[in-house]
Amino acid sequence: MRDPVYPYRGADEAEVPIPVELVSFTASVSKNIVTLSWITATELNNSGFEIERKIENSDWSRIAFVKGAGTTTDPVNYIYNDVVSDLQPGTLLYRLKQLDFDGTFTYTDAI
C-alpha cells in the first residue's frame, strides 16, 4: 500500500489527487555513510524535499535539499548520502519535509 506524503487538507481524499504519493522511504548504513532513498509514484507541484536529521536528545536540523520533479505521473527515485564521520556515536533519525512551489509542506514519519 502506498502512503501519501499528504492529501489536500480539508477535502475528501477520494475526490482529490494526492500531490506527492510516497511509495517508500528507507535508510541504510555503510561505514560512515547513511544512504537515504525514497520513491514517489506521482508528484504534483513538488518543489522538493528538505532532508532533516536529528541526533538523539537534540532538535531537528536541515542538512540538505533535493529538488523535486515538479509534476509527473512517473515514479521518481531519490537518493541522498549523508557522511556522518564527524558525528558522535548515537542514534540518528531522518525525515523528509516535502515542499510545494506555493510553500505548503508536510513531514514524513522519521526513520
Side-chain angles (χ1 to χ4, degrees):
M1 181 173 155
R2 295 179 177 155
D3 295 323
V5 172
Y6 68 96
Y8 285 118
R9 290 171 180 80
D12 181 357
E13 291 180 40
E15 295 179 10
V16 295
I18 297 171
V20 176
E21 189 175 1
L22 188 67
V23 177
S24 66
F25 176 40
T26 61
S28 61
V29 180
S30 178
K31 297 186 182 184
N32 64 341
I33 299 174
V34 177
T35 300
L36 303 174
S37 58
W38 62 101
I39 301 170
T40 59
T42 61
E43 296 183 24
L44 177 64
N45 191 36
N46 183 22
S47 173
F49 301 89
E50 285 185 2
I51 300 170
E52 296 185 352
R53 177 179 62 206
K54 180 178 181 173
I55 302 168
E56 58 188 342
N57 302 319
S58 70
D59 294 327
W60 288 100
S61 61
R62 178 185 169 187
I63 59 169
F65 180 81
V66 175
K67 184 178 176 184
T71 298
T72 181
T73 57
D74 295 327
V76 180
N77 294 296
Y78 295 93
I79 294 178
Y80 177 79
N81 291 314
D82 185 23
V83 179
V84 294
S85 57
D86 60 340
L87 298 178
Q88 296 295 321
T91 302
L92 296 176
L93 295 172
Y94 293 90
R95 68 182 180 184
L96 301 174
K97 180 180 180 181
Q98 187 276 318
L99 296 154
D100 282 353
F101 288 109
D102 66 3
T104 304
F105 64 90
T106 297
Y107 290 99
T108 63
D109 290 335
I111 59 170

